Amino acid sequence: MAAVTIDSLLQNPTLVFRPKAKVLLKPPRSLDCSRNRKLPLSRGSCLCSFNPRRTIHVVRASSSETALIGNFDISSSDDILYKDIFPVKRIEKVEGKFFIRLDRSKDQHDWQLTVGCSLPGKWILHWGVSYLGDSGSEWDQPPKGMRPPGSIPIKDYAIETPLKKLSEGDIFHEVKIDFNPISEIAAIHFVLKDEETGAWYQHRGMDFKVPLVDYLEDDGNIVGAKRGFGVWSGALQQFSNVLLKSEASHADSQNNSIESKDSKNKNRCLEGFYEEQSIVKEVSVGNLVSVAVRKSPETGKVIVCLETDIPGDVVVHWGVCRDDAKIWEIPAAPYPPETTVFKNKALRTLLQPKATGNRSGALFTLDEEHFGFLFVLKLDDNTWLKFKENDFYVPLLGTSSVPGQYGQSDSTSEEISSKSYTDGIINEIRNLVSGLSSEKSQKTKKKEVQESILQEIEQLAAEAYSIFRSSITTVPDEVVSETETTKPAVKISSGTGTGFEILCQGFNWESHKSGRWYMELKEKASEISSLGFTVIWLPPPTESVSPEGYMPKDLYNLNSRYGTIDELKELVKSLHEVGMKVLGDVVLNHRCAHFKNQNGVWNIFGGRLNWDDRAVVADDPHFQGRGNKSSGDNFHAAPNIDHSQEFVRKDLKEWLGWLREEIGYDGWRLDFVRGFWGGYVKDYLEASGPYFAVGEYWDSLSYTYGEMDHNQDSHRQRIVDWINATNGTAGAFDVTTKGILHSALERCEYWRLSDQKGKPPGVVGWWPSRAVTFIENHDTGSTQGHWRFPGGKEMQGYAYILTHPGTPAVFYDHIFSHHRSEIASLISVRNRNGIHCRSLVKIVKAERDVYAAIIDEKVAMKIGPGYYEPPSGSQRWSLALEGRDYKVWETS
């Protein structure tokens, strides 16, 4: 279960709950462990500021306290000293049915596939077909006559059709697809999507596959009758054999397979079926917690009344404190009914049902000497309700409710330093010094690495001093008619480029399907450049076992599913002509083999780089390498390369140099850099001299009881450690910021966008010049949808990353969509105001429903439904852009 976060209604008395949902399909699908969240569950763990134990003492309630119950009206007492109401988000599970049916249509000639769901929601069937003779798992669009009314084509590979109720009395939303059984279609593929929540329903982590012929291989995702189906072995070794078999063998078997399929199609015999599965949909439900404080005129004691409309048994875990340190203590009796002592530092009280209404509550009688009342709510062993990951705190010495009592920022910002660029450099110096002096890095860094860091510190310090000196106003000895402004020379680093880069991802997961992606992108080169992008990231160029390019085989063979080597050169030349730098997507962690060794294991390579099994790490049992142990995490679908081997590093450096010279790449996007030490990356980058480089260090964020932790320092530290291992020669995708944006926008918890020190909570808050910020890419979005950004909130994400420091990256699908004009406007604001990778950001508001910041004293922005306007004063602000739940201003 997830911990539930609460915010004060005083900030928005007209709060409207927008339920969000997460849907679980039973039986549970298999998970991709490389993307899976860490859920460290510990039953019985307390979320307060101390560690509870299981020792419990029952305390009897006093008769006087019991008599007070019901006499305290929280809504009408005139002597209330403090009153507040908090909205609570909790998760309720709603169960329903999901069915798939194949039977004859009404005319008895055609067949009909019906997909339905009994749960409420805006359901979309995302579907396509595969044809006889197709290989792999790619979809195609069905014939137009097969598409139900209301269907919308998704590029060239899929259709989206809404599910509808046929009549008001129907339980199920459903869609019916009619098709002719005598056709070339071999199977119908689909996944189900709840458009309102963005939740996707898959079958064991894959698409649902409804076969229309009786000889298809079963990849584990087939639904319906299984008679006559072939089954692949689940053993990884055999899977590797299938993936890595020789081209000639593959072609022969494909021809034989097609002939066999043609013969079987003549006698195709469909069997109807009906399959039904349970779905559990987790719906966010809103409740209220009310707290009021008054002083008893009879006894002089302070009485705290707590009520809630949360159903079921609710336990208040509570105590008092004597000062601002908020150290929990147990107050003197009397206590409410059903109260127990917990660890001799807190009390637990079961709330009692009220006589009227669906509510429960309790009264707490306290002495005047106490400074504050502390509590959290416990629904079960795994669900605790807190306020912004802190204990609830109710002041007992005040006379009124205090808005913003939890440290929310005032809407009027302090004056921001004019030396924003210099301050950014100084922050980087501090990071470099920290990395240099840390005990861990001292053990691993060689002398020359330390000297290199010191040299970068000296260069950054000199740059900061130069900018500082140039900002001092001097009185000239002579009056000059024209002032000449000399800009300091821009230092280009592979970790930052010029510092003003804006990156475009120039492909998605389906781009290979056309077979001429390079030529399609060439036609859009001028258009992309005109939007303000300075760098474009192209897909992997090498021959690959997988069509997307991430299972490379012969590194020097650049004829891929995206186009030929000549077309690639032509594309790069066109991009250079419109002023853009080009990044190649290079996969250095793993490589697919050409041949088996004497044990029948695929670990012998061909082509120009004809390595043997010494090039494969020794600690991956699937590929039996004779190299050293891996310096990172293994990628188990292909042999992991041992970068500690001198011959491997020499060959890879030569290959990268060849790509720079032959193709004209300006830099690199480095795939799966978790798999090998960042020091090797430094070696490769120093040898190839890129203009810009960024690594994909993808790691799981921190979660407690299924809810993302506010503090993600450990997650961003791992990314920063990798950047540090490269000596800052490469940046890294800011996965931390993407994850935090997900939670902030999905749950309306914009306070998450400020860390404990009031800085951005991702890598961009610690090492902004090396943070490449993004909200979506080919893995997280597109048709893969591994970690899709919250639907309908994409522009809030772009309003954040395109106004903040770091190097922002924009996904291809978003550029060529209805978001295009808004993205272009945000890029224009960024460029017009000179926002760069080291810009200084001042967070002025981070509350439940709004986040606001001022960047370099030039740009102000806010995201979220809450209110914010930049402060009036010496600066005059004009609205530059606004959209759904976001606004951007600039100084006029």
Side-chain angles (χ1 to χ4, degrees):
M1 291 294 291
V4 184
T5 303
I6 307 166
D7 282 297
S8 174
L9 267 181
L10 290 176
Q11 307 305 320
N12 187 356
T14 58
L15 180 71
V16 176
F17 289 102
R18 296 183 175 90
K20 295 293 177 185
K22 177 182 178 182
V23 185
L24 304 175
L25 185 62
K26 294 182 178 180
R29 62 183 179 87
S30 60
L31 298 177
D32 181 351
C33 294
S34 67
R35 299 287 190 261
N36 192 20
R37 300 172 172 176
K38 293 181 179 178
L39 304 177
L41 299 179
S42 177
R43 292 181 62 84
S45 295
C46 177
L47 302 185
C48 301
S49 55
F50 57 85
N51 295 321
R53 295 175 183 169
R54 285 286 184 180
T55 305
I56 297 176
H57 304 283
V58 178
V59 179
R60 294 183 181 275
S62 69
S63 58
S64 60
E65 174 65 21
T66 305
L68 284 172
I69 300 284
N71 295 332
F72 188 169
D73 188 346
I74 199 168
S75 63
S76 62
S77 294
D78 296 328
D79 55 351
I80 288 179
L81 303 178
Y82 175 96
K83 181 179 178 180
D84 209 347
I85 302 175
F86 304 93
V88 179
K89 284 184 181 179
R90 61 185 180 83
I91 301 300
E92 273 192 0
K93 291 185 177 181
V94 180
E95 293 192 8
K97 296 293 184 182
F98 169 70
F99 77 86
I100 307 163
R101 181 174 61 237
L102 181 68
D103 57 10
R104 290 188 180 274
S105 59
K106 292 181 179 180
D107 61 12
Q108 295 297 308
H109 296 293
D110 291 341
W111 280 72
Q112 188 176 76
L113 176 68
T114 306
V115 179
C117 181
S118 65
L119 290 177
K122 187 178 180 182
W123 300 104
I124 301 291
L125 192 73
H126 185 91
W127 65 288
V129 300
S130 57
Y131 289 92
L132 298 172
D134 284 354
S135 60
S137 59
E138 300 174 15
W139 298 7
D140 287 301
Q141 287 186 347
K144 291 185 177 180
M146 188 175 171
R147 305 173 190 179
S151 297
I152 299 174
I154 304 299
K155 299 189 181 299
D156 62 347
Y157 56 82
I159 294 293
E160 287 195 345
T161 305
L163 277 67
K164 297 179 180 179
K165 287 188 176 182
L166 300 183
S167 64
E168 286 298 323
D170 285 350
I171 298 176
F172 286 91
H173 297 76
E174 60 183 49
V175 62
K176 298 178 183 293
I177 299 173
D178 293 308
F179 62 92
N180 188 332
I182 306 175
S183 70
E184 296 297 308
I185 297 174
I188 299 174
H189 308 257
F190 69 88
V191 291
L192 194 61
K193 178 183 177 184
D194 186 349
E195 191 74 12
E196 291 179 350
T197 65
W200 290 79
Y201 304 76
Q202 295 177 298
H203 187 47
R204 299 170 183 167
M206 298 177 284
D207 54 283
F208 289 86
K209 182 177 180 181
V210 180
L212 306 184
V213 293
D214 62 355
Y215 54 85
L216 290 183
E217 301 289 354
D218 188 353
D219 301 332
N221 61 338
I222 283 181
V223 293
K226 303 295 193 299
R227 182 180 60 82
F229 285 31
V231 180
W232 287 353
S233 169
L236 182 57
Q237 182 63 54
Q238 295 188 22
F239 173 70
S240 301
N241 293 346
V242 173
L243 282 180
L244 304 175
K245 61 188 177 182
S246 66
E247 298 295 333
S249 168
H250 175 74
D252 291 343
S253 64
Q254 186 177 28
N255 292 335
N256 293 337
S257 176
I258 293 173
E259 291 174 6
S260 174
K261 292 176 182 178
D262 288 340
S263 63
K264 290 187 178 184
N265 189 42
K266 295 177 182 178
N267 299 313
R268 179 192 308 212
C269 180
L270 288 180
E271 293 184 6
F273 69 87
Y274 178 89
E275 281 198 13
E276 190 174 272
Q277 301 185 43
S278 296
I279 295 180
V280 178
K281 181 173 182 178
E282 295 182 347
V283 181
S284 180
V285 178
N287 294 102
L288 298 175
V289 177
S290 305
V291 179
V293 179
R294 75 175 177 92
K295 189 172 183 180
S296 171
E298 295 83 10
T299 64
K301 293 198 173 191
V302 176
I303 301 175
V304 178
C305 178
L306 189 150
E307 292 183 2
T308 182
D309 61 352
I310 300 172
D313 291 338
V314 179
V315 174
V316 182
H317 189 98
W318 64 282
V320 296
C321 62
R322 296 184 180 274
D323 51 38
D324 278 329
K326 299 183 178 65
I327 298 174
W328 285 56
E329 295 182 7
I330 295 178
Y335 305 134
E338 300 290 336
T339 296
T340 58
V341 179
F342 192 87
K343 199 195 171 184
N344 293 323
K345 286 191 176 180
L347 296 165
R348 285 185 172 178
T349 299
L350 177 65
L351 297 186
Q352 301 299 304
K354 292 184 70 73
T356 58
N358 186 23
R359 299 175 66 83
S360 59
L363 294 180
F364 306 86
T365 303
L366 307 170
D367 293 332
E368 286 185 276
E369 64 187 28
H370 298 302
F371 187 82
F373 178 78
L374 300 161
F375 72 95
V376 293
L377 300 179
K378 180 175 180 285
L379 302 189
D380 55 45
D381 285 343
N382 294 325
T383 305
W384 297 74
L385 313 188
K386 305 183 73 182
F387 185 88
K388 295 185 179 179
E389 300 190 357
N390 294 310
D391 305 336
F392 283 97
Y393 170 69
V394 177
L396 299 180
L397 297 183
T399 57
S400 62
S401 180
V402 183
Q405 59 185 308
Y406 298 92
Q408 295 164 352
S409 303
D410 190 272
S411 62
T412 303
S413 67
E414 300 175 2
E415 183 179 358
I416 301 173
S417 168
S418 61
K419 306 186 299 299
S420 63
Y421 194 90
T422 310
D423 289 347
I425 294 174
I426 291 171
N427 285 334
E428 289 206 23
I429 293 175
R430 287 173 180 153
N431 278 303
L432 288 168
V433 171
S434 298
L436 182 63
S437 61
S438 68
E439 181 179 352
K440 180 179 178 181
S441 61
Q442 285 284 10
K443 293 179 180 178
T444 58
K445 283 186 170 61
K446 296 181 181 178
K447 182 178 179 181
E448 57 268 24
V449 176
Q450 296 178 12
E451 290 176 351
S452 176
I453 294 178
L454 290 171
Q455 289 173 6
E456 185 172 354
I457 291 173
E458 290 172 359
Q459 293 169 353
L460 289 168
E463 187 179 355
Y465 180 74
S466 172
I467 297 170
F468 172 73
R469 290 290 299 167
S470 66
S471 67
I472 299 175
T473 304
T474 58
V475 179
D477 294 332
E478 302 178 4
V479 178
V480 291
S481 58
E482 191 172 318
T483 303
E484 293 185 1
T485 303
T486 303
K487 293 184 178 179
V490 176
K491 178 180 179 295
I492 296 177
S493 160
S494 59
T496 63
T498 64
F500 293 87
E501 311 302 344
I502 302 175
L503 174 63
C504 161
Q505 180 177 359
F507 64 100
N508 62 29
W509 191 248
E510 307 293 330
S511 297
H512 64 90
K513 287 189 172 181
S514 69
R516 57 182 305 273
W517 184 250
Y518 294 150
M519 292 297 95
E520 292 179 21
L521 204 56
K522 178 188 172 185
E523 296 170 0
K524 298 178 179 177
S526 296
E527 185 179 359
I528 294 171
S529 175
S530 68
L531 297 175
F533 293 101
T534 62
V535 181
I536 186 167
W537 156 25
L538 298 185
T542 55
E543 174 202 18
S544 171
V545 171
S546 65
E548 297 82 13
Y550 290 101
M551 299 280 280
K553 196 173 181 183
D554 183 352
L555 299 187
Y556 279 91
N557 181 354
L558 301 191
N559 295 312
S560 71
R561 297 289 186 92
Y562 299 100
T564 66
I565 183 173
D566 292 332
E567 290 171 340
L568 175 57
K569 291 179 183 178
E570 197 175 333
L571 168 61
V572 171
K573 180 181 177 182
S574 297
L575 291 166
H576 284 162
E577 288 173 351
V578 296
M580 297 186 71
K581 300 294 184 181
V582 182
L583 304 185
D585 198 332
V586 290
V587 182
L588 303 179
N589 176 73
H590 51 272
R591 182 184 171 197
C592 293
H594 292 70
F595 311 106
K596 298 179 184 178
N597 67 2
Q598 64 274 18
N599 297 325
V601 177
W602 292 92
N603 60 16
I604 307 298
F605 304 91
R608 183 163 162 181
L609 302 183
N610 54 345
W611 302 331
D612 60 19
D613 53 6
R614 291 174 301 154
V616 180
V617 298
D619 51 350
D620 185 348
H622 303 298
F623 297 102
Q624 300 178 13
R626 290 194 296 123
N628 296 311
K629 288 187 176 181
S630 175
S631 57
D633 296 335
N634 280 328
F635 177 79
H636 295 294
N640 287 250
I641 300 305
D642 179 12
H643 295 267
S644 70
Q645 302 285 0
E646 181 64 32
F647 73 89
V648 168
R649 294 200 306 278
K650 176 179 177 292
D651 286 348
L652 289 178
K653 285 187 281 189
E654 287 181 359
W655 177 63
L656 292 171
W658 177 78
L659 289 175
R660 292 269 277 135
E661 183 70 24
E662 185 72 16
I663 306 302
Y665 284 126
D666 301 290
W668 316 116
R669 182 267 185 184
L670 302 159
D671 183 66
F672 198 76
V673 296
R674 262 179 54 200
F676 55 105
W677 179 48
Y680 298 131
V681 172
K682 173 182 177 292
D683 196 17
Y684 298 140
L685 297 185
E686 288 178 345
S688 58
Y691 172 89
F692 186 83
V694 56
E696 180 209 28
Y697 193 97
W698 197 280
D699 198 4
S700 298
L701 278 77
S702 301
Y703 292 81
T704 300
Y705 302 129
E707 180 179 343
M708 182 180 291
D709 295 342
H710 183 207
N711 187 331
Q712 293 293 335
D713 287 355
S714 61
H715 183 266
R716 57 176 166 175
Q717 184 64 60
R718 291 191 290 274
I719 299 176
V720 166
D721 286 346
W722 179 83
I723 300 171
N724 205 35
T726 74
N727 197 24
T729 55
F733 288 109
D734 193 348
V735 180
T736 315
T737 290
K738 172 177 168 64
I740 293 170
L741 280 169
H742 273 247
S743 281
L745 274 59
E746 278 180 335
R747 301 168 63 91
C748 197
E749 295 174 349
Y750 291 83
W751 50 266
R752 290 182 177 273
L753 294 173
S754 176
D755 68 10
Q756 289 82 350
K757 295 183 179 180
K759 301 293 183 182
V763 177
V764 73
W766 277 2
W767 204 342
S769 69
R770 300 308 194 269
V772 177
T773 53
F774 72 108
I775 70 167
E776 205 80 287
N777 64 26
H778 61 292
D779 284 322
T780 66
S782 194
T783 52
Q784 287 213 100
H786 285 323
W787 194 23
R788 199 177 301 277
F789 200 76
K793 301 180 186 294
E794 292 86 355
M795 286 312 304
Q796 288 189 62
Y798 283 122
Y800 183 91
I801 69 171
L802 287 170
T803 58
H804 279 53
T807 299
V810 182
F811 184 40
Y812 180 88
D813 287 7
H814 293 159
I815 298 169
F816 292 96
S817 73
H818 61 283
H819 298 308
R820 172 178 165 162
S821 62
E822 291 177 273
I823 290 172
S825 297
L826 285 169
I827 292 174
S828 179
V829 170
R830 184 181 183 89
N831 289 335
R832 193 161 58 239
N833 290 278
I835 304 300
H836 50 81
C837 69
R838 294 186 179 93
S839 287
L840 182 65
V841 57
K842 176 70 174 180
I843 298 173
V844 295
K845 222 173 190 184
E847 300 175 357
R848 178 187 57 79
D849 59 353
V850 64
Y851 167 87
I854 296 177
I855 301 90
D856 283 351
E857 291 188 298
K858 300 175 183 178
V859 172
M861 60 80 66
K862 80 98 179 176
I863 57 175
Y867 174 80
Y868 171 77
E869 293 285 336
S872 58
S874 58
Q875 291 172 304
R876 296 181 59 188
W877 296 96
S878 60
L879 184 63
L881 180 66
E882 72 174 304
R884 181 180 175 185
D885 289 338
Y886 77 90
K887 286 185 179 181
V888 179
W889 299 263
E890 56 189 343
T891 53
S892 54

